[in-house]
Amino acid sequence: MTHGDLRVLLAAAAWWLSTVVALLEGMGLVVTVVVAAAGATLVTSMALGHANRGRLLRFWMPTLLVVAVAMLCAAGVTAAHDHAARSGILADLASARATATIRGTVASYPNPAGERVLRRLRVETVEGRGQVSRAHASVMLLGDEELSRLNLDETIIVDVRLEPQGRASREIAWATVIGRATVVEPAGPLSRWIAVRASYMMDHLADETPQVQGLVPGLAIGDDSRIPEDRGEALAAVNLTHLTAVSGAHVSMVCAIALALVGRRRRLLSVAVAGGVLFSLIVATGAQPSVMRAGVMGVVVLGAVWLRRPSSALPALGVSIVVLLALEPTLALAYGFVLSVVSTAAIIAWARPAAGLLAPLVTIPGANLLAVPLVAHVACAPIILLLTDTASVWSALANALVAPVVPAGTVFALCALLLAGTPAGPILAWLAARCVSWIDIVAGSVSQWPGSGIDGRLVLALYAAILFSSWLIVSRGVRRLWIAAAAVGVAAARLVSPAMGEWSVIQCDVGQGAATLFRLDGRIFLVDTGPSEGRLEDCLQRARARVDVLILTHLHADHAGNLDGALRHGVAEVWVGPGMTDPVAQLGVTVPIIERSAGDSEFGVDTLWPDRHVPCYDESCENNQSLVVRANVGQTLLVTGDIERETQQMLARRDIAADIVLIPHHGSPNQDESFAQSVGAATALLSYGDNTYGHPAPSTIDLYAAFGAILATAEGDIVLHIDGSEEVPAGVGY
């Protein structure tokens, strides 16, 4: 690597770091750090100037100057973008949680979130509270299925209720749709053409399974909105979701095909054709962060082809980082962008050495297949752990198994899209479907193997151990093979924690608190999170559960203390009682918060209490305002929060019958006999840990034991598998 290449990489890293700091802390901190660092560097250079003056002046001083300039420029660009985004009335309306009428361009494919749909909208104008202004920011639309029918790049006008997002978010606000969206300008010609081709392609796939119908457009243009929820979870469990996000692999294949068809000797024509195809791909995918990064990198490489100069991949990556963050600074904190850059850099730098280390273990072809996913996972694992705590020890194997079909599947899917509606369209769609069928089989099978859904830190440690063992074998000789293999085998055996198997309801052992998990019609619900020091995440990992809906009965620490841990497991929306939206939003919840009251029913979950919002000034009142829900999971389950005797007496006069009940308030003595009788549950669950409250009270145990069995979390999670009338409980009985 030349000095120039190194300066490009250092400038890109400095630009990225400065952008992050400016987004989170403001431009002033960046300037202070740069000035302080420059001063310290000047003093150091003066002290060391006589020791190696020539090298200092020729290389290090220009490099440090480039880094300082990059940081200052990044801070200035970020500040300018932030000023533009917050000019006008959009930011003020969002802060006031006001309603408004906005006009903007649809900028992303639909992203299902339960029964709702999310779409990014680039706002052009906003009208609210008697004012109208232009806007230079994006919002995240939250609406019903109608949003799915909008085409990419269409301009719409829609009435929304605004809520602010965090300072560093790519969108300035949440915008909940409260009226019908009206299309005022159609999409551009290219976007319309892509939409028509996609519609034809879906007609060609009409006889395929739903998962294949979802995966083909995902592989072609990154539209994963049609992938069934359970298959999306399987892909995520074994780290295959990157296949449905158009990235560097897609760009490389597309550019390589275009260059091969035209020929490199015709430089101008080949670069023009490849550039045109690349631009079309970026437009077709809605300019996702990973696509933009790969696209800019592709432009740099095409420029090198045009200039007949050898191009290093890492400097090209550095240039793409600077260009993209200059165009949109908030990408610096976008997980898709971060993961794309980190994985690309790791593959460029480590894939070939890793393949050399693995070759003595798994042969050269096997090493070439495993090296790329292995190093990408090791590099990305620390970032992925910020999103989810679980991972699979088989993710590298799953990526290796699908690697042979991904290039062919991508090419077939893209060609099926481009030629949809022609005689070749059905054939290409069928070929693409065969490729993605194998991807679906691998994801569905491997995600069920023991070792999936375990602690992600342990998976990272195992992969690092594999690479270290491979290094030992290569550097110390094959005689060390058995020692290294045995060490890896022991580590793997210790890391693979037993899964819970099939389950319908789990009362997680979270200590002195409550967290109830249940599965209903393909969705997973979590009622409460337990305390912050509880074992909720261990329970979710063993259950291999990615939570769709989080229900908070109330905000006491033993029921909502581990909110952050729960949100890392894929929560799409949070349900709360009447009047609880603002208190929950203040806890940092960024997914939609939905208030439920008695009489509401959604996804098969009925809300039985409370009737309305009641201002509370003591803990007893807050307990009595707990959200009470009932769901039929094969048998009816009633989750009661911490309701006390007064609320129990009121509910006893209503329909609250259930087969399974979570005994209110951890089995406190403050129970109403008529409530227990009205419920009449054959199975009662007790959730408690070491406490000084005397929970559970002997009188409470006697009360509920009169109606059936009592199971407690004192010795671990309670797992119920309900199959028709069959129930297989596990736990401590009374």
Side-chain angles (χ1 to χ4, degrees):
M1 182 182 294
T2 65
H3 287 171
D5 290 344
L6 181 59
R7 284 185 187 131
V8 170
L9 291 177
L10 290 176
W15 192 293
W16 196 345
L17 176 63
S18 179
T19 301
V20 170
V21 175
L23 286 172
L24 298 176
E25 303 294 340
M27 182 178 175
L29 180 60
V30 176
V31 175
T32 302
V33 169
V34 171
V35 171
T41 302
L42 180 61
V43 172
T44 304
S45 66
M46 291 175 65
L48 299 177
H50 296 289
N52 195 351
R53 189 176 186 84
R55 182 172 177 81
L56 183 70
L57 292 176
R58 285 196 314 271
F59 175 67
W60 287 112
M61 289 304 291
T63 300
L64 292 172
L65 179 62
V66 167
V67 169
V69 170
M71 293 185 70
L72 289 172
C73 289
V77 168
T78 303
H81 275 275
D82 185 66
H83 175 75
R86 297 185 180 279
S87 61
I89 62 174
L90 180 59
D92 293 336
L93 291 174
S95 299
R97 302 177 187 274
T99 59
T101 300
I102 56 177
R103 174 190 170 110
T105 304
V106 179
S108 71
Y109 285 112
N111 182 16
E115 291 294 313
R116 291 169 173 77
V117 175
L118 298 174
R119 300 201 74 167
R120 186 168 178 256
L121 187 77
R122 287 193 297 268
V123 182
E124 298 173 0
T125 60
V126 57
E127 178 180 355
R129 296 190 171 178
Q131 301 179 69
V132 180
S133 77
R134 295 194 61 81
H136 304 279
S138 297
V139 298
M140 184 60 73
L141 285 181
L142 174 65
D144 57 20
E145 192 63 26
E146 181 189 357
L147 288 184
S148 298
R149 293 189 283 271
L150 297 174
N151 290 326
L152 198 68
D153 203 31
E154 282 184 334
T155 301
I156 64 171
I157 293 178
V158 62
D159 294 330
V160 297
R161 182 174 64 252
L162 297 169
E163 294 184 31
Q165 287 239 50
R167 173 184 172 85
S169 298
R170 194 180 184 195
E171 293 79 32
I172 199 170
W174 288 100
T176 302
V177 176
I178 57 177
R180 293 183 62 85
T182 302
V183 177
V184 293
E185 286 185 18
L190 179 58
S191 295
R192 291 201 305 273
W193 186 83
I194 292 290
V196 172
R197 301 275 77 75
S199 177
Y200 284 145
M201 184 177 71
M202 296 312 297
D203 291 339
H204 299 329
L205 296 169
D207 295 332
E208 302 290 345
T209 61
Q211 51 265 38
V212 170
Q213 293 179 19
L215 280 168
V216 171
L219 208 61
I221 55 175
D223 179 6
D224 59 359
S225 60
R226 298 180 181 88
I227 298 177
E229 187 175 3
D230 59 333
R231 311 316 289 182
E233 292 174 357
L235 290 168
V238 291
N239 198 26
L240 290 177
T241 51
H242 63 90
L243 298 179
T244 59
V246 177
S247 58
H250 293 71
V251 170
S252 299
M253 282 183 277
V254 171
C255 289
I257 292 170
L259 290 171
L261 289 175
V262 177
R264 287 177 179 262
R265 291 185 178 180
R266 303 183 214 178
R267 286 185 299 135
L268 179 60
L269 182 59
S270 63
V271 170
V273 171
V277 173
L278 185 58
F279 174 76
S280 301
L281 183 63
I282 291 173
V283 173
T285 57
Q288 301 174 51
S290 60
V291 185
M292 292 296 294
R293 190 273 313 155
V296 173
M297 187 173 175
V299 170
V300 174
V301 173
L302 290 175
V305 172
W306 165 247
L307 295 173
R308 291 182 176 176
R309 293 180 180 176
S311 175
S312 172
L314 281 175
L317 179 62
V319 171
S320 71
I321 291 171
V322 172
V323 172
L324 288 172
L325 294 185
L327 293 174
E328 190 166 355
T330 52
L331 287 178
L333 293 170
Y335 279 112
F337 178 81
V338 175
L339 289 171
S340 179
V341 171
V342 170
S343 61
T344 300
I347 291 168
I348 292 170
W350 299 341
R352 184 171 294 179
L357 291 176
L358 292 170
L361 288 177
V362 292
T363 72
I364 292 176
N368 290 333
L369 277 177
L370 282 173
V372 169
L374 197 63
V375 300
H377 185 90
V378 170
C380 294
I383 302 165
I384 294 173
L385 289 175
L386 297 175
L387 295 170
T388 176
D389 292 333
T390 61
S392 171
V393 298
W394 311 111
S395 59
L397 176 62
N399 277 271
L401 289 173
V402 303
V405 304
V406 170
T410 301
V411 172
F412 287 142
L414 279 170
C415 292
L417 177 73
L418 297 175
L419 299 176
T422 70
I427 299 173
L428 291 166
W430 184 87
L431 291 171
R434 302 290 66 77
C435 293
V436 302
S437 293
W438 173 244
I439 296 172
D440 178 61
I441 290 170
V442 170
S445 301
V446 176
S447 64
Q448 299 301 314
W449 291 0
S452 293
I454 68 172
D455 192 325
R457 294 168 295 183
L458 301 180
V459 175
L460 175 60
L462 176 62
Y463 280 10
I466 291 173
L467 292 175
F468 177 71
S469 301
S470 302
W471 173 79
L472 273 181
I473 295 165
V474 172
S475 62
R476 300 295 182 179
V478 179
R479 286 179 294 179
R480 302 291 180 104
L481 171 63
W482 293 109
I483 297 175
V488 172
V490 171
R494 292 180 62 86
L495 297 180
V496 179
S497 60
M500 293 179 177
E502 293 296 326
W503 58 270
S504 304
V505 179
I506 301 174
Q507 189 63 44
C508 296
D509 173 19
V510 292
Q512 179 55 29
T516 309
L517 200 62
F518 65 89
R519 198 194 306 266
L520 180 61
D521 293 336
R523 292 184 178 84
I524 294 179
F525 297 79
L526 174 64
V527 185
D528 291 334
T529 70
S532 58
E533 69 278 5
R535 296 175 286 276
L536 171 67
E537 291 168 273
D538 291 338
C539 177
L540 294 176
Q541 290 165 12
R542 288 192 296 274
R544 298 176 184 167
R546 187 169 179 83
V547 178
D548 297 297
V549 179
L550 171 61
I551 304 173
L552 296 177
T553 61
H554 59 303
L555 295 186
H556 286 175
D558 57 340
H559 287 257
N562 203 4
L563 178 60
D564 290 342
L567 291 173
R568 286 195 292 268
H569 284 264
V571 173
E573 57 188 63
V574 177
W575 294 2
V576 297
M580 297 303 295
T581 297
D582 287 344
V584 172
Q586 291 171 8
L587 297 177
V589 175
T590 58
V591 298
I593 302 169
I594 302 169
E595 293 188 5
R596 300 292 183 200
S597 57
D600 290 342
S601 180
E602 189 164 1
F603 305 149
V605 179
D606 300 325
T607 304
L608 306 183
W609 182 263
D611 294 330
R612 63 186 184 281
H613 173 58
V614 174
C616 287
Y617 304 99
D618 59 66
E619 288 192 359
S620 179
C621 173
E622 292 168 349
N623 286 339
N624 277 319
Q625 283 296 107
S626 292
L627 203 62
V628 178
V629 296
R630 181 172 60 184
N632 191 333
V633 295
Q635 296 185 10
T636 48
L637 168 70
L638 182 68
V639 185
T640 58
D642 279 354
I643 58 172
E644 298 182 1
R645 191 187 305 270
E646 300 81 3
T647 296
Q648 293 178 30
Q649 288 173 345
M650 286 187 280
L651 286 174
R653 297 190 288 271
R654 304 182 183 183
D655 173 19
I656 56 171
D659 301 305
I660 308 165
V661 64
L662 176 63
I663 297 177
H665 204 175
H666 318 290
S668 80
N670 195 7
Q671 306 289 332
D672 179 67
E673 183 176 352
S674 63
F675 175 81
Q677 186 172 3
S678 296
V679 174
T683 303
L685 310 179
L686 259 175
S687 183
Y688 70 95
D690 293 336
N691 65 87
T692 59
Y693 308 109
H695 298 165
S699 60
T700 300
I701 294 172
D702 292 341
L703 173 62
Y704 280 89
F707 302 98
I710 299 179
L711 303 174
T713 59
E715 296 297 332
D717 305 319
I718 303 169
V719 182
L720 303 179
H721 173 46
I722 302 169
D723 183 8
S725 61
E726 179 187 2
E727 177 184 326
V728 184
V732 178
Y734 281 91

